[in-house]
Amino acid sequence: MQLVLLRDKRHPARQVDACEAAARAVVFLLDDPRTQPGGPWHDAVRQWSDKRIRKIVRRASGKRWDDVQALEGVTVSQDPPADGPVETSPARVRAFVPAPVRPQPKQIDKLQVAGTNLPADGVSATTNGVVTIEINPRIEMTTGKACAQCGHAAQLAYEAMSSGNDEDRHALDRWRRDEFRVHVVTPTVEHWDADVARVRVVDAGFTEFDGPTATTRARW
């Protein structure tokens, strides 16, 4: 799955908002009617979900951001705190229907992957969210990598809720009505070590890490 992050060079979004937008975009795509059986996206999403759920985050600005809106996918915007700096822009991420890594549409293929970073200013503005995503406090990731890992955690939470017990399915209904908002936090090491979570993401270590690394987890 390709995800494209809008980068506003003059008024960049915050990293935490971008992570939340990426997580929501992934789940909105998975929950979209076009992804359900009989929908035009169903087979592509099903084939991808049955294998390694790889996500690649790219960045775009200006016309290049406008160009990718024509491709099949879902765009989500995540606002910064209302009392935050006026120069901070909302985070916007578009998730695209999964496809092979090569070839990609030219609108996506020309976009850069490596080195995507946004300001790590402040904490999440999301309150009373159904799902909380925690980032491993012992590691460092670029914004692009963090967005992908939060997207993984949100996907695993969605799938666990969908196949879980009545309580889980009720939580999924609440999450859907709440437009899949998530609360992304970086907990203390002590909290992380307590391992309070429902689903966990272990990155395979192909990029940014030397080997399998616990990156994010989710609870609800």
Side-chain angles (χ1 to χ4, degrees), residues 14-15 20 51 63 89 110 136-137 152 156-157 175 178:
R14 304 186 308 158
Q15 176 167 303
E20 293 184 353
K51 296 182 179 179
K63 184 179 183 301
S89 297
K110 67 176 66 173
N136 186 344
H152 287 341
L156 294 179
W175 197 22
D178 195 37

Side-chain angles (χ1 to χ4, degrees), residues 103-123:
Q104 285 292 319
K106 63 180 181 180
Q107 298 98 315
I108 290 178
D109 195 49
K110 67 176 66 173
L111 302 178
Q112 290 185 304
V113 178
T116 299
N117 276 302
L118 294 176
D121 296 337
V123 297

Side-chain angles (χ1 to χ4, degrees), residues 26-36 158 172 176 180:
V26 169
V27 179
F28 264 114
L29 191 147
L30 295 176
D31 198 61
D32 194 285
R34 290 166 288 186
T35 301
Q36 309 315 308
Y158 175 83
L172 177 58
R176 184 180 288 117
F180 297 118

Side-chain angles (χ1 to χ4, degrees), residues 3-220:
L3 296 100
V4 174
L5 168 67
L6 173 63
R7 185 178 66 168
D8 186 325
K9 296 180 181 179
R10 293 184 60 194
H11 304 298
R14 304 186 308 158
Q15 176 167 303
V16 66
D17 299 328
C19 288
E20 293 184 353
R24 295 178 65 205
V26 169
V27 179
F28 264 114
L29 191 147
L30 295 176
D31 198 61
D32 194 285
R34 290 166 288 186
T35 301
Q36 309 315 308
W41 299 351
H42 175 265
D43 291 348
V45 173
R46 177 64 181 272
Q47 182 178 10
W48 169 74
S49 297
D50 286 346
K51 296 182 179 179
R52 182 162 59 93
I53 56 169
R54 185 181 183 189
K55 296 178 180 68
I56 298 174
V57 177
R58 301 170 184 264
R59 63 182 181 270
S61 58
K63 184 179 183 301
R64 290 189 173 185
W65 169 256
D66 294 336
D67 289 345
V68 298
Q69 304 306 306
L71 303 176
E72 291 188 317
V74 176
T75 296
V76 169
S77 179
Q78 184 73 30
D79 291 332
D83 58 354
V86 295
E87 63 270 15
T88 301
S89 297
R92 294 187 173 91
V93 176
R94 186 167 181 83
F96 298 89
V97 178
V101 176
R102 291 285 182 271
Q104 285 292 319
K106 63 180 181 180
Q107 298 98 315
I108 290 178
D109 195 49
K110 67 176 66 173
L111 302 178
Q112 290 185 304
V113 178
T116 299
N117 276 302
L118 294 176
D121 296 337
V123 297
S124 171
T126 300
T127 58
N128 301 318
V130 175
V131 172
T132 295
I133 295 175
E134 298 177 344
I135 297 175
N136 186 344
R138 285 195 171 94
I139 63 175
E140 293 185 1
M141 296 183 280
T142 63
T143 298
K145 186 71 170 181
C147 285
Q149 299 306 300
C150 288
H152 287 341
Q155 177 175 351
L156 294 179
Y158 175 83
E159 292 174 349
M161 289 179 179
S162 300
S163 60
N165 56 29
D166 288 345
E167 184 177 349
D168 289 327
R169 289 191 290 273
H170 289 323
L172 177 58
D173 288 339
R174 294 197 308 274
W175 197 22
R176 184 180 288 117
R177 291 194 300 270
D178 195 37
E179 297 185 325
F180 297 118
R181 291 189 312 139
V182 298
H183 179 62
V184 171
V185 298
T186 300
T188 64
V189 170
E190 291 76 16
H191 179 85
W192 180 266
D193 289 344
D195 198 25
V196 181
R198 297 288 297 277
V199 296
R200 299 162 182 80
V201 176
V202 177
D203 185 77
F206 295 116
T207 60
E208 297 197 22
F209 304 123
D210 293 331
T213 302
T215 56
T216 54
R217 61 194 190 192
R219 53 185 170 85
W220 57 92

